[in-house]
Amino acid sequence: MTIFFSNQFKEKNFLKILTYKKNIILDFGCGLGVWNKKKLSNKIHKIFLYDKNKEVVSLTKKNYKKCKKIFFINKKHFFNKKKFFKKNKVNIILMNSVIQYINRNDLKNLILMFEKCVSEKKYKIIITDIPIYSRFIEIFLLLFFNFSRFVDAIKLIFNFSYHKTLFYKNNIDMKFIEKKFAIKKCENLNNFIFRKTLILTKND
């Protein structure tokens, strides 16, 4: 099993993106979690956490067991995707530091699923930590600009299961997305300046 290190998520910058007073968030590919377990902003009404790695979810549940605003979901909740999104009124989908492990076609299908199933008229898909460089160039840059994350990256290099993970860059079909969403590029919401964040907004 590979457990990726928790990123330094800029929650204050994330909150500035939220336009509703009470937002319901799906954190897709949540990993170990980036949320403040002691106190969440009043702008956050609920957070649904999803990750396909069951062992990671087990650790994350222990971390957030006292947080009443956070709920865990699995594939069964997505069996009827439209029902899930309509019932829970999700208006923010966060994909934080996860798309680099999803190939281009699967990512396109995932975004298409969100586009078809989310019932809220105005919603956002926030994609963070999008790679600009290859994995090895990133590690080299981290040595000079983010040494603590460089150390984490070196640890992963010696993790055998990590070598099995595929790493994708330029895997976003921008022409496809531009037809369906308004797109805004902004500073990365994670503390890694050599990656970027995209905000996809659906207004109809």
Side-chain angles (χ1 to χ4, degrees), residues 18-24 41-45 91:
L18 306 183
T19 52
Y20 286 11
K21 290 182 179 180
K22 290 188 176 182
N23 295 272
I24 299 174
S41 166
N42 291 332
K43 293 181 77 173
I44 298 176
H45 184 58
N91 70 297

Side-chain angles (χ1 to χ4, degrees), residues 185-197:
K185 299 177 183 179
C186 66
E187 178 186 344
N188 196 17
L189 291 180
N190 281 308
N191 189 26
F192 190 7
I193 61 173
F194 298 105
R195 290 187 181 182
K196 61 185 178 181
T197 287

Side-chain angles (χ1 to χ4, degrees), residues 40-56:
L40 287 170
S41 166
N42 291 332
K43 293 181 77 173
I44 298 176
H45 184 58
K46 287 182 182 179
I47 302 175
F48 292 96
L49 298 185
Y50 170 82
D51 199 288
K52 68 177 183 179
N53 190 322
K54 293 180 181 179
E55 292 179 72
V56 168

Side-chain angles (χ1 to χ4, degrees), residues 124-204:
K124 289 182 171 70
I125 301 175
I126 301 170
I127 307 173
T128 77
D129 231 28
I130 302 169
I132 299 172
Y133 304 104
S134 70
R135 183 150 50 182
F136 297 104
I137 292 176
E138 280 190 348
I139 292 172
F140 176 75
L141 292 169
L142 286 172
L143 174 61
F144 298 100
F145 294 96
N146 192 332
F147 188 74
S148 63
R149 189 160 174 170
F150 169 77
V151 173
D152 287 344
I154 293 299
K155 290 177 182 177
L156 286 175
I157 287 176
F158 293 99
N159 185 316
F160 179 74
S161 61
Y162 180 67
H163 289 271
K164 296 180 181 180
T165 64
L166 299 176
F167 183 92
Y168 302 95
K169 69 182 187 72
N170 301 322
N171 59 336
I172 302 177
D173 189 336
M174 293 302 293
K175 289 184 179 180
F176 163 76
I177 289 176
E178 286 171 355
K179 293 178 181 178
K180 298 179 177 295
F181 298 91
I183 303 171
K184 181 180 179 182
K185 299 177 183 179
C186 66
E187 178 186 344
N188 196 17
L189 291 180
N190 281 308
N191 189 26
F192 190 7
I193 61 173
F194 298 105
R195 290 187 181 182
K196 61 185 178 181
T197 287
L198 288 181
I199 303 170
L200 315 182
T201 303
K202 192 73 173 180
N203 290 318
D204 55 21

